Amino acid sequence: MPNSPNSLPLQPLIDDLAEQGWSQQRAFLPQSLTAELEQECRARAAAGELAPAAIGRAAGQAIVEGIRGDRILWIENGQSAACDRFLDAMETLRLELNRQLFLGLEELECHFAFYAPGAFYLRHFDRFRDDDLRTVTVVFYLNPDWQAEQGGALRMYLDEQRSLDVLPEAGTLACFVSGEFAHEVLPASRDRLSLTGWFRRRSDSLL
Ligand code: OGA
Ligand code: MN
């Protein structure tokens, strides 16, 4: 059943990650849950709960709209039924990544992100100079009927020659090894909503 965590399309994702370091899975979660998450993100954005996203960590944090123009809200267990179901799915993924790929992922940090039309995030890596514990990035998109001409792709730089554009279509989960791929968010002509997270490993892990 699509609602049971056991039926998540985990294996193709894990195989991709092992082989190439990234994966893109369509319809990763049930459409009804994706729609609930979209509604929650929109409602919280309208209520002013999302704040301009910063770059870097702790003392090194700065808000630089010329680099990154989204607004975010960190999510926690117990925040809403929909977020709890999302976090449950990510927990299932975390355990399976650890079991099959021995990644030693210990926790997920995760936020709603809302890019208004024209907002972007310039090319970057997800690891900070002062924090290299982010190991696997996941981005779950919440935008029904996205068209390529609306922009807003996640552009991943796979190597010197090749890049890959992932459209932020509702239900798509993009996943990649955080330290390996530079990437950027292109500006869009409509709102662009997502849940973005990072599985972090233990600070003493060798991987
Ligand atoms: C990020 C990021 C990608 C996306 O938040 O670090 O790169 O597609 N997001 O939203
Ligand atoms: Mn990123």
Side-chain angles (χ1 to χ4, degrees), residues 21 36 41 48 58 98 115 119-120 131 138 147 159 166 168 183 197-198 205:
E36 271 180 63
C41 183
N98 284 349
Y115 289 75
F120 54 83
D131 176 0
V138 282
Q147 307 298 319
D159 57 36
V166 178
H183 56 279
W198 297 271
S205 163

Side-chain angles (χ1 to χ4, degrees), residues 86-120:
F86 175 77
L87 291 172
D88 283 352
M90 291 302 112
E91 181 63 6
T92 305
L93 173 58
R94 182 183 75 85
L95 295 172
E96 208 50 31
L97 286 170
N98 284 349
R99 196 176 72 80
Q100 295 193 38
L101 305 182
F102 311 103
L103 290 178
L105 305 174
E106 199 151 68
E107 56 176 9
L108 176 73
E109 50 180 4
C110 185
H111 62 57
F112 278 121
F114 189 109
Y115 289 75
F120 54 83

Side-chain angles (χ1 to χ4, degrees), residues 15 24 41 45-46 61 67 76 98 106 137 184 187 199:
D15 291 346
Q24 167 182 201
C41 183
Q61 275 204 347
I67 296 179
E76 297 168 10
N98 284 349
E106 199 151 68
T137 302
E184 67 180 307
F199 290 108

Side-chain angles (χ1 to χ4, degrees), residues 68 70 111 113 115 121 124 126 134 137 139 141 152-154 166 168 176 183-185 192 194 196 198:
R68 148 168 216 195
D70 56 330
H111 62 57
Y115 289 75
Y121 192 164
H124 65 281
D126 281 350
R134 285 181 169 183
T137 302
V139 194
Y141 298 106
L154 164 64
V166 178
F176 56 93
H183 56 279
E184 67 180 307
V185 177
R192 180 192 192 275
S194 64
T196 305
W198 297 271

Side-chain angles (χ1 to χ4, degrees), residues 127-201:
R127 280 195 173 173
F128 304 122
R129 252 166 307 174
D130 55 349
D131 176 0
D132 68 349
L133 300 181
R134 285 181 169 183
T135 303
V136 174
T137 302
V138 282
V139 194
F140 183 64
Y141 298 106
L142 306 176
N143 314 289
D145 305 315
W146 196 276
Q147 307 298 319
E149 54 272 21
Q150 293 169 330
L154 164 64
R155 179 161 293 168
M156 290 182 55
Y157 295 92
L158 302 179
D159 57 36
E160 301 285 297
Q161 280 84 36
R162 293 177 309 149
S163 68
L164 168 83
D165 282 3
V166 178
L167 293 187
E169 170 65 26
T172 295
L173 184 78
C175 182
F176 56 93
V177 178
S178 305
E180 230 170 86
F181 301 100
H183 56 279
E184 67 180 307
V185 177
L186 301 177
S189 57
R190 58 180 268 201
D191 295 344
R192 180 192 192 275
L193 282 56
S194 64
L195 277 156
T196 305
W198 297 271
F199 290 108
R200 295 164 61 86
R201 62 180 169 76

